[in-house]
């Protein structure tokens, strides 16, 4: 598989620009004082569908040929990618089918059907087979949530904007689950700010990306993971593992307590809703505060879709 | 008392500009579809100290003569004005004393002491006497939270910015408690968009402003009010009553259920934290949707300081 390049990212940015928000970048003087650094957060929680996933899904959908698009798209997802693909398909006016687990949250189901997509419910273990059947029977294009160069290039546009909005960043941090956002970010950063390291923030409970990059061998996804960061449950994808290793990206793991404290800080002090998956970036900055002192840090608040169960835990 | 003019508001804007945020204006396509209108929300929840109160307090503090300032300032408040005055005093480097009730929330107490202000605790019924004593003994300047032309002019700068940020507004809505924000807004709007009506949003449980303007006689504050909108407990001030009556401002009352639903919508869909007092503006827009159809509506999210008790009610 060809890895996306900065040209792909720039093309993605031009393609999706009429439909996505150029999300704002926020700061907190209180946090900067705590960290002894300057932290800039890109608010993809304020993005369409409430997450950066809108970028990758739309880039993939708009990149399909007319014939392929007419046959529709399909993906399995119980989270933000499902809503993003449904939203992107509605923009292009093409059929969209999402395979979801039978226990998917009613809110996510409503979001997907609200954009006019069809849902196929099936047990979690059969979701890949269900997708393949729909690809076979309807000729639908599979839009994988992270193992897809067009999706990765789309996710990378968030970091590209951040680099434009905040000159002179010394380091950039994003959450890592399947790795599409982190890999895309590493591509954008390497070519715009070649000396700036890129960090991934990963819940300790699903630390396969951390172990994969530490050992140089992609590790299997954690089985039955328990973390509040429900957007980061999947294992690191193969393409993304290759990109991250090639770019020398490092992953920082964070505890559940640190994730909740970070989400609460953003809510109470910055007055913004971030989902626990997004709060991992702040937790990672805090755990690395000593090595980040004095630096200009860019970070991506990846999404804001949460039921707030963590708030009164 | 001389009522503030647009010149006073413009002077306040210049004076406080180096220290306050030019807060963003947000929209929601979902809400616009629901209302059949275009609503623009000025995010004073993202303001310094988390509320528009920073504007009025700072304008009052910066407007003091050098001699008066040296003797410090005093106010009684258990809410956002207390933190705002402490913050403003720290900027000018002058002593600040805040009279607070003995049952004030520990968070508010921490905010005030965090800015270096002194707190005098006393029973709620004795707070005015306590303030007067501090004025007498120390020569401190009383900065009333809303019965003060410099404070009113400062609060008006939020609407002035909103009118600059969003051209062609047809109507502007703010919450009303003591009335400083609403009166200031009515001054800014009248001179910039003379034909645009100004509406106040008031919890039904503390509807003294509604009844005051409806009867043309200022009504006493509601005794022992029960509303989640804890920033709007005080009765409408005398100066503000005069300004609002003169400007023909109308007040819309909203139920507790509508306030909670609005605060929840902003949290879940717009990904922003607003306190219940601020959510009253959205509740008011919804209750007036039929008469606002097709209009460009400006509204002020007045603050974002909340303990989220309303979220899981």
């Amino acid at each position: 598989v060809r890895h996306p390049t900065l040209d792909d990212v720039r093309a993605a940015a031009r393609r999706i620009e009429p439909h996505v928000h150029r999300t704002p970048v926020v700061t907190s003087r209180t946090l900067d004082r705590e960290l002894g650094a300057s932290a800039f957060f890109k608010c993809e929680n304020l993005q369409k569908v409430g997450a950066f996933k809108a970028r990758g899904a739309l880039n993939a959908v708009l990149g399909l040929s007319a014939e392929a698009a007419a046959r529709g798209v399909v993906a399995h997802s119980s989270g933000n990618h499902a809503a993003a693909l449904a939203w992107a398909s509605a923009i292009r006016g093409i059929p969209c089918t999402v395979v979801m687990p039978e226990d998917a949250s009613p809110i996510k189901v409503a979001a997907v059907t609200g954009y006019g997509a069809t849902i196929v419910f099936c047990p979690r273990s059969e979701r890949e087979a269900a997708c393949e059947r729909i690809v076979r029977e309807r000729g639908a294009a599979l839009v994988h949530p992270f193992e897809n160069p067009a999706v990765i290039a789309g996710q990378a546009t968030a970091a590209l904007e951040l680099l434009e909005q905040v000159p002179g960043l010394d380091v950039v941090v994003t959450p890592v689950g399947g790795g599409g956002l982190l890999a895309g970010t590493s591509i954008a950063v390497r070519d715009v700010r070649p000396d700036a390291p890129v960090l991934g923030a990963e819940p300790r409970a699903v630390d396969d990306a951390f172990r994969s990059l530490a050992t140089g061998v992609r590790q299997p996804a954690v089985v039955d993971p328990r973390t509040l960061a429900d957007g980061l449950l999947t294992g690191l994808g193969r393409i993304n593992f290759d990109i991250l290793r090639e770019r020398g990206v490092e992953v920082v793991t964070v505890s559940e307590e640190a994730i909740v404290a970070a989400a609460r800080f953003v809510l109470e002090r910055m007055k913004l809703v971030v989902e626990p998956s997004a709060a991992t970036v702040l937790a990672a900055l805090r755990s690395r505060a000593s090595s980040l002192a004095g630096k200009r840090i860019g970070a991506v608040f990846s999404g804001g879709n949460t039921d707030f169960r963590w708030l009164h835990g």
Side-chain angles (χ1 to χ4, degrees), chain A residues 9-50:
Chain A
V9 180
R10 289 199 197 284
R14 280 191 300 274
R15 189 183 271 156
I16 69 176
E17 187 266 330
H19 305 286
V20 298
H21 292 304
R22 189 177 172 89
T23 51
V25 175
V26 298
T27 60
S28 161
R29 195 176 294 189
T30 305
L31 179 65
D32 284 358
R33 218 175 282 135
E34 176 197 322
L35 294 175
S38 299
F40 301 88
F41 296 93
K42 175 77 170 159
C43 287
E44 290 296 297
N45 55 330
L46 305 180
Q47 186 52 269
K48 290 286 177 184
V49 313

Side-chain angles (χ1 to χ4, degrees), chain A residues 31-300:
Chain A
L31 179 65
D32 284 358
R33 218 175 282 135
E34 176 197 322
L35 294 175
S38 299
F40 301 88
F41 296 93
K42 175 77 170 159
C43 287
E44 290 296 297
N45 55 330
L46 305 180
Q47 186 52 269
K48 290 286 177 184
V49 313
F52 74 96
K53 296 272 183 182
R55 297 175 180 268
L58 184 60
N59 190 47
V61 164
L62 295 182
L64 294 173
S65 69
E67 303 97 292
R71 291 191 298 270
V73 292
V74 62
H76 63 80
S77 164
S78 56
N80 289 328
H81 180 64
L85 192 63
W87 166 82
S89 301
I91 285 176
R92 189 151 182 191
I94 63 173
C96 174
T97 307
V98 178
V99 175
M100 295 184 95
E102 285 153 333
D103 60 352
S105 101
I107 294 172
K108 304 275 180 184
V109 169
V112 169
T113 56
Y115 292 117
T118 304
I119 299 182
V120 172
F121 291 100
C122 80
R124 211 171 273 269
S125 59
E126 294 167 26
R127 57 194 192 171
E128 303 211 340
C131 270
E132 279 164 27
R133 201 176 52 245
I134 291 162
V135 168
R136 216 166 42 235
E137 291 174 2
R138 310 187 194 171
L142 179 70
V143 181
H144 192 279
F146 50 86
E147 285 283 58
N148 178 319
V151 170
I152 297 167
Q155 319 301 34
T157 63
L160 191 66
E161 280 180 22
L162 175 59
L163 292 162
E164 287 167 10
Q165 289 167 302
V166 186
L169 289 176
D170 298 312
V171 53
V172 179
V173 189
T174 84
V176 58
L181 177 63
L182 185 59
T185 298
S186 76
I187 292 164
V189 171
R190 191 205 44 179
D191 289 342
V192 178
R193 291 282 295 169
D195 294 335
V198 172
L199 295 177
E202 188 175 46
R204 197 156 293 156
V206 282
D207 65 347
D208 66 287
F210 171 78
R211 288 182 287 107
S212 298
L213 292 169
T215 60
V217 178
R218 190 163 71 103
Q219 303 294 312
V222 173
V223 176
D224 192 19
R226 302 290 166 92
T227 172
L228 287 164
D230 56 6
L232 307 177
L233 298 179
T234 47
L236 182 62
R238 200 171 32 80
I239 305 174
N240 296 322
F241 171 68
D242 290 342
I243 295 172
L244 297 178
R245 205 162 55 132
E246 198 180 302
R247 301 273 187 280
V249 170
E250 198 191 338
V251 172
V252 180
T253 60
V254 295
S255 70
E256 294 298 300
E257 294 69 29
I259 293 170
V260 170
R264 186 181 279 280
F265 180 91
V266 177
L267 194 72
E268 293 179 349
R269 303 303 297 261
M270 301 175 77
K271 315 298 179 193
L272 286 169
V273 176
V274 291
E275 53 189 81
S277 303
T280 57
V281 295
L282 172 51
L285 295 189
R286 283 173 159 170
S287 83
R288 284 296 178 93
S290 60
S291 63
L292 295 171
K295 297 214 190 308
R296 284 167 72 79
I297 306 159
V300 180

